[in-house]
Amino acid sequence: MRVLITGGAGFIGSHLCDALLADGHQVACVDNLLTGSTRNISHLEREPRFEFCQIDINQPYDVGPVDFIFQLASPASPVDYMEHGIETLQVGSLGSFHSLELARKYRAKYLLASTSECYGDPLEHPQKESYWGHVNPIGPRSVYDESKRFAEATTAAYRRYHKVDTRIVRIFNTYGPRLQLNDGRVISNFMKQALRGDPLTVYGDGSQTRSFCYVSDEVDGLLRLARSDVHDPVNIGNPGEFTILECAHLVQKVTGSKSTIAYQPLPQDDPRQRRPDITRARTLLGWEPKIDLEAGLKLSMEYFQQAIALEAEQSVGAGRSGG
Ligand code: UDP
């Protein structure tokens, strides 16, 4: 199969490229590199079944016949999507239309990467796919939440009106190697801070919860959904739920860091709790995450150490050339 991955140079996208190539497919990776990076796919440079196209899918585009489209393109960390709010709204709307038109043209199957943010600051706990969510439509997070909700509506409409063979995954917080060091997410911040010996910045009192899925488990879920005939949304996330303070303590433990905790204000509309109900993924896809948070943090440590070293090298280099 020839598979198109939009956002293929991003964190999850690049792992998906690896997994699909390992399965023997041809992979066309499309990314505008707004938040993705060629560093994530540089190891694939000499792979003949892999091609990278720097394309902005907010414009109509065509990469030739494809059998399957994974629509992953979007800024995804709160810091990134708040900085690039308009682009985030555009990629969920214009980008979705352009990719769905491509799926229609080539009769390709289509999988939309949606998000637990569709549930907003949820009043139901844990979150089942049947929950419609509790989203502030004009708040700072709305550029992402409503973009993804619109993308879901567009995907469902192309299925209904144009018979495109679609799937929708709702991805919960995911982490692991290739998470950008400076994307402001909790795991990247805590790992960076702990490994540097800086204080861990806990927002609010740290009692808000998240459920963290290791990237290999997430990709396994995406592939199972892609191979299935399940058209309703499916949560793919690890149901292990942690307060942010527990998460900070776990990072301190895994890294052996003596870093202290520094409390900072809670951002506006920060969801109080988040945990996927994965009954649907379990029963329909036979999917279950295998790697718990402590094991996943250990698996991620080497990557974060290297990313910190690389950044230090680059800042020394920049200092030299600047000075
Ligand atoms: N958070 C934190 N310290 C940080 C970064 C994030 O306490 O340095 C909190 C944030 O307020 C939120 C949770 O960690 O409650 C997860 O934030 P993240 O940005 O990773 O993603 P979100 O789940 O909010 O999209």
Side-chain angles (χ1 to χ4, degrees):
M1 280 211 309
R2 182 163 185 257
V3 182
L4 166 62
I5 306 177
T6 72
F11 163 53
I12 298 179
S14 65
H15 284 282
L16 190 58
C17 289
D18 290 341
L20 287 163
L21 287 166
D23 275 355
H25 301 296
Q26 280 186 50
V27 173
C29 166
V30 159
D31 206 300
N32 68 350
L33 302 179
L34 180 66
T35 57
S37 167
T38 51
R39 260 203 311 277
N40 292 334
I41 48 169
S42 58
H43 59 289
L44 301 174
E45 218 167 16
R46 289 200 189 82
E47 168 57 62
R49 286 180 291 116
F50 179 78
E51 60 190 298
F52 171 64
C53 313
Q54 187 169 347
I55 287 177
D56 183 354
I57 65 163
N58 293 338
Q59 307 295 329
Y61 70 100
D62 195 343
V63 293
V66 288
D67 304 292
F68 203 107
I69 300 176
F70 285 89
Q71 169 80 354
L72 269 68
S74 179
S77 90
V79 167
D80 283 341
Y81 65 67
M82 286 187 212
E83 183 181 347
H84 303 289
I86 302 295
E87 291 91 336
T88 302
L89 283 163
Q90 286 174 335
V91 77
S93 50
L94 300 174
S96 285
F97 276 116
H98 298 146
S99 296
L100 281 158
E101 278 300 322
L102 211 60
R104 189 180 169 199
K105 175 173 177 182
Y106 293 121
R107 299 182 184 283
K109 295 182 180 183
Y110 186 90
L111 184 147
L112 168 69
S114 184
T115 169
S116 57
E117 282 285 318
C118 286
Y119 303 123
D121 189 4
L123 303 177
E124 260 186 31
H125 195 72
Q127 291 79 52
K128 287 196 181 78
E129 291 87 347
S130 54
Y131 179 48
W132 289 356
H134 180 232
V135 172
N136 176 353
I138 55 165
R141 299 178 84 99
S142 65
V143 291
Y144 185 63
D145 301 5
E146 298 293 15
S147 170
K148 287 292 189 182
R149 286 165 68 99
F150 184 90
E152 286 200 11
T154 314
T155 302
Y158 267 71
R159 174 168 180 73
R160 210 176 298 126
Y161 296 108
H162 295 311
K163 312 287 175 249
V164 176
D165 188 355
T166 62
R167 289 138 190 83
I168 297 174
V169 59
R170 295 200 181 127
I171 297 176
F172 283 65
N173 295 58
T174 302
Y175 69 100
R178 300 186 199 153
L179 200 58
Q180 288 178 70
L181 191 59
N182 296 312
D183 70 2
R185 282 185 168 120
V186 68
I187 299 286
S188 31
N189 274 4
F190 285 177
M191 288 299 272
K192 180 175 67 178
Q193 291 158 345
L195 291 169
R196 282 184 180 158
D198 295 336
L200 271 54
T201 51
V202 168
Y203 302 161
D205 62 4
S207 64
Q208 71 274 32
T209 69
R210 294 292 186 275
S211 303
F212 299 100
C213 190
Y214 190 68
V215 66
S216 59
D217 282 333
E218 189 65 48
V219 167
D220 177 39
L222 262 58
L223 291 175
R224 282 171 189 255
L225 179 60
R227 287 186 209 112
S228 79
D229 284 318
V230 179
H231 304 294
D232 288 333
V234 180
N235 290 336
I236 298 287
N238 191 319
E241 182 182 3
F242 295 81
T243 68
I244 293 306
L245 197 57
E246 284 170 342
C247 176
H249 290 146
L250 207 53
V251 169
Q252 286 172 323
K253 179 180 165 194
V254 165
T255 56
S257 169
K258 300 270 179 295
S259 286
T260 54
I261 305 278
Y263 290 93
Q264 293 191 359
L266 189 69
Q268 188 192 330
D269 295 344
D270 200 281
R272 284 289 317 150
Q273 53 184 1
R274 196 183 275 162
R275 176 184 177 190
D277 180 317
I278 60 164
T279 310
R280 203 176 268 185
R282 269 202 189 108
T283 51
L284 299 182
L285 309 178
W287 178 82
E288 186 121 36
K290 297 188 181 71
I291 298 173
D292 69 18
L293 183 54
E294 184 165 348
L297 289 173
K298 284 183 188 150
L299 288 170
S300 311
M301 201 152 101
E302 191 183 331
Y303 159 76
F304 281 108
Q305 283 166 330
Q306 286 170 356
I308 288 168
L310 186 70
E311 190 179 71
E313 239 170 66
Q314 283 169 346
S315 74
V316 169
R320 270 204 212 104
S321 61

